[in-house]
Amino acid sequence: HSVDEHIYHEMMIHPALSVFLLQSGRAPEKIFLGGSGDGAGPREVLRWRSVLNATMVDIDYEVTRFASEWMPELANGSFQDPRLHLVTGDAMQYLRELPRDHTFDVLILDFPDVADSRALEKLYSVDFYRLCRDHMHEKSVLV
C-alpha cells in the first residue's frame, strides 16, 4: 500500500467506465474485475451508482483476507457492498464456464505482471483475450 495507489486504481477504472458511458449512451451496470484482490478496484467501480453488479474473480483469497484485515482502507467497505460478487478462483476458468451470452459492460483486468510468475502467462494469452471478447457486447470496454 502506498500513498499514491489511488492514482493507479482511479486511472484504470474511471476512464474505462467513462468511455463506456460516452460510446454507449448509458452508464455501466455490469462489471467484471479480474484480480484486484486487495479491494481497491471494486472500491473505485462501486463509486458508480449505476453499477448493479460487479463480479470480482481473484485466485488468491489470502490477498483479500489480508487486505481486509490489515488494510481495510484499501477496499473502503467494497467487500461488504451487496453489488459485489466476490469469487475466489481462476479468472480464465470463470469466464470459460459462463454462458456465452453473459456479457459485461466493462471488463477490467488487474493482474500481477507476468514477470512475477510463469503461471500468469495464460492471463496474457490470445486465448484469454478471445475469452474476454466472448463476454463482451458491441459497446463493451476492456482494460
Side-chain angles (χ1 to χ4, degrees), residues 1 3 7 26 62 80 107 125:
H1 173 54
V3 295
I7 296 170
R26 68 172 179 86
E62 278 305 302
Q80 288 74 43
L107 293 90
S125 69

Side-chain angles (χ1 to χ4, degrees), residues 9-22 48 141:
H9 290 97
E10 287 175 4
M11 292 307 297
M12 178 174 50
I13 305 294
H14 299 292
L17 275 67
S18 296
V19 165
F20 177 82
L21 170 65
L22 291 171
W48 287 65
V141 173

Side-chain angles (χ1 to χ4, degrees), residues 14 32 36 59 64 66 69 91 93-94 102 105 107 116 137 139 141:
H14 299 292
F32 176 83
S36 211
I59 201 161
T64 303
F66 182 86
E69 184 174 337
Q93 189 66 32
Y94 180 85
H102 186 105
D105 296 330
L107 293 90
D116 294 344
H137 51 76
K139 303 283 187 184
V141 173

Side-chain angles (χ1 to χ4, degrees), residues 4-65:
D4 61 354
E5 70 71 26
H6 67 280
I7 296 170
Y8 169 81
H9 290 97
E10 287 175 4
M11 292 307 297
M12 178 174 50
I13 305 294
H14 299 292
L17 275 67
S18 296
V19 165
F20 177 82
L21 170 65
L22 291 171
Q23 76 179 13
S24 71
R26 68 172 179 86
E29 297 175 351
K30 295 184 344 183
I31 312 298
F32 176 83
L33 276 161
S36 211
D38 60 9
R43 175 194 72 212
E44 295 303 321
V45 164
L46 295 170
R47 288 183 182 197
W48 287 65
R49 289 188 209 122
S50 65
V51 172
L52 302 176
N53 180 278
T55 300
M56 184 184 111
V57 182
D58 193 282
I59 201 161
D60 190 353
Y61 181 73
E62 278 305 302
V63 170
T64 303
R65 187 200 60 74

